[in-house]
Amino acid sequence: MLAYRSSGFYHLIMKVKKEIDKSNVKFDLNLRWYDYFFLLRPVLWIPVWTFLFLGYFWGSALETFNFTLILPWKFWAILGLYSLMMSSVYIINQIVDRESDLINNKLFLIPYNIISIRTATIYAIILALVSLIVVYFLGIKFVILFILSYLLGMAYSVKPVELKARPIADMLANAIGYGVLAFLTGWAVTGKIQGRAFIQSFGYILFVSAVFINTTIPDIKGDQTAGKYTIGVFLGARNATILSSILLFLAFIYSFLEFDVFLMIPSLVGLPIFIISIWDESMQMAKISYRAVSFLFVLMVALRFPLFLALGILILILLRIYYTKRFMINYPSLTGR
């Protein structure tokens, strides 16, 4: 703790706390038992689940316009274990990003030392080990996919690789992590992974890339201050939104050729919003664009799998209650943080 208090990061915390006090916003910095659950970043489980369900859908060759209420136990086991493993990665990412998160005033648990770096690190290690050990009993193909996903997640956050600090590489890491690895993990539940799986995943690579670019835009100022060199910082807000709009258009074209309704509708609806965000200097439209398009994409898949819809709604309700009661912010929302 002494080393922590003597660091420049501690002084940064004190500076931001003073600014918060000036704005009459008071945070309760005492640890609560449920903070450990929200440190897992369950909001990011939803996109992970989306691609797991999509992989299972295409691997099983299910009908598009139908409902699936019952899924095999192995799918649910993989979904739970994969979520825990990815949460390990998300915790490490929060540790690495604690300074920029403090500047951007988000993900308060580690930046404000509500949960210490040491505790968070141990927590992340336990989650990774448990998920990898248990999944071993479900098949070696899952072990390989889990390890690849974990290594990519660590490479994204941790130096010296730190893909999140390398423009284009940060985008591709997210696109491959969600659009390929999570997708293939869901597909693998149905049996052998075929070449068709990689073809089907290409549209999702384009889609995730487009969405990811716009997620970096609202944080450009904070990332510049913290020295993070994201694709948003590299291109600038306007050029970044131009590129994301092009990628979303290509995702729509690909979805049309593959008749992927899950991808087609969100891409088509989202295009006007993405294009409008090119001329929005406030960057609010960029924030709305990726949240609205992501929500519609997830909703399309969730409607196909009603249990996913129920779980997603439960997670969002818990998040809204937690952030409102704990930090007095309106999250998740289309326009809020």
Side-chain angles (χ1 to χ4, degrees):
M1 186 64 179
L2 180 60
Y4 170 76
R5 286 187 175 274
S6 64
S7 68
F9 178 58
Y10 175 76
H11 295 298
L12 181 60
I13 287 180
M14 293 299 103
K15 181 179 179 181
V16 175
K17 282 181 179 178
K18 288 179 182 179
E19 293 300 318
I20 291 174
D21 290 339
K22 289 179 184 178
S23 62
N24 296 320
V25 176
K26 304 296 182 181
F27 288 160
D28 177 6
L29 299 180
N30 295 314
L31 178 66
R32 299 287 182 262
W33 64 267
Y34 46 79
D35 288 332
Y36 287 106
F37 173 75
F38 291 96
L39 181 65
L40 301 176
R41 296 211 69 191
V43 68
L44 296 181
W45 290 348
I46 295 177
V48 168
W49 293 350
T50 302
F51 288 100
L52 288 173
F53 274 97
L54 279 171
Y56 179 80
F57 171 85
W58 291 110
S60 299
L62 299 175
E63 294 181 10
T64 300
F65 301 104
N66 206 337
F67 299 104
T68 300
L69 295 174
I70 300 175
L71 291 97
W73 69 267
K74 182 179 284 189
F75 175 82
W76 294 113
I78 291 298
L79 182 141
L81 293 169
Y82 198 82
S83 299
L84 292 180
M85 186 205 63
M86 292 307 299
S87 285
S88 173
V89 173
Y90 300 149
I91 291 172
I92 297 299
N93 182 262
Q94 290 174 78
I95 292 172
V96 174
D97 284 353
R98 60 191 183 276
E99 293 192 25
S100 62
D101 286 343
L102 189 63
I103 295 169
N104 290 321
N105 197 27
K106 66 179 186 179
L107 302 179
F108 311 100
L109 294 173
I110 293 176
Y112 286 92
N113 204 36
I114 297 172
I115 295 177
S116 70
I117 294 173
R118 180 177 182 273
T119 300
T121 302
I122 294 172
Y123 193 22
I125 292 171
I126 292 173
L127 289 172
L129 288 176
V130 169
S131 61
L132 287 172
I133 290 171
V134 176
V135 82
Y136 171 79
F137 297 98
L138 297 179
I140 191 64
K141 60 186 175 183
F142 295 113
V143 174
I144 294 172
L145 287 167
F146 272 50
I147 291 175
L148 288 175
S149 298
Y150 188 78
L151 290 177
L152 180 61
M154 295 299 287
Y156 180 78
S157 299
V158 180
K159 293 180 179 180
V161 182
E162 200 178 12
L163 297 177
K164 67 182 178 63
R166 302 177 187 276
I168 306 300
D170 57 351
M171 176 189 73
L172 292 176
N174 276 270
I176 293 171
Y178 288 105
V180 179
L181 294 176
F183 179 79
L184 293 180
T185 301
W187 187 299
V189 175
T190 68
K192 183 179 179 181
I193 298 176
Q194 302 168 337
R196 178 65 191 169
F198 294 93
I199 296 173
Q200 196 69 51
S201 71
F202 184 70
Y204 301 128
I205 293 175
L206 295 170
F207 181 82
V208 175
S209 296
V211 172
F212 173 77
I213 291 172
N214 279 19
T215 66
T216 68
I217 293 173
D219 289 338
I220 286 177
K221 183 177 180 180
D223 289 339
Q224 286 175 325
T225 302
K228 286 178 61 179
Y229 200 45
T230 65
I231 192 169
V233 173
F234 173 65
L235 293 176
R238 185 166 187 180
N239 288 334
T241 49
I242 290 174
L243 177 59
S244 67
S245 299
I246 293 172
L247 290 171
L248 191 63
F249 175 72
L250 293 175
F252 169 72
I253 297 298
Y254 197 82
S255 69
F256 184 79
L257 296 174
E258 292 293 322
F259 194 69
D260 185 344
V261 176
F262 302 110
L263 187 57
M264 186 186 304
I265 294 177
S267 299
L268 180 61
V269 173
L271 267 174
I273 307 175
F274 271 62
I275 293 171
I276 291 172
S277 67
I278 295 173
W279 292 278
D280 178 35
E281 296 183 359
S282 71
M283 301 186 188
Q284 281 300 309
M285 285 304 298
K287 186 179 293 187
I288 293 172
S289 69
Y290 74 77
R291 289 183 175 177
V293 170
S294 298
F295 173 78
L296 184 56
F297 179 64
V298 171
L299 182 62
M300 292 287 297
V301 180
L303 290 174
R304 180 60 181 72
F305 296 93
L307 284 177
F308 175 29
L309 178 62
L311 286 172
I313 291 173
L314 176 61
I315 290 294
L316 292 176
I317 290 173
L318 291 175
L319 284 165
R320 178 60 68 90
I321 293 172
Y322 175 75
Y323 278 96
T324 300
K325 299 289 186 181
R326 190 77 169 88
F327 300 113
M328 294 168 287
I329 62 172
N330 185 28
Y331 177 85
S333 72
L334 287 178
T335 57
R337 176 157 292 285

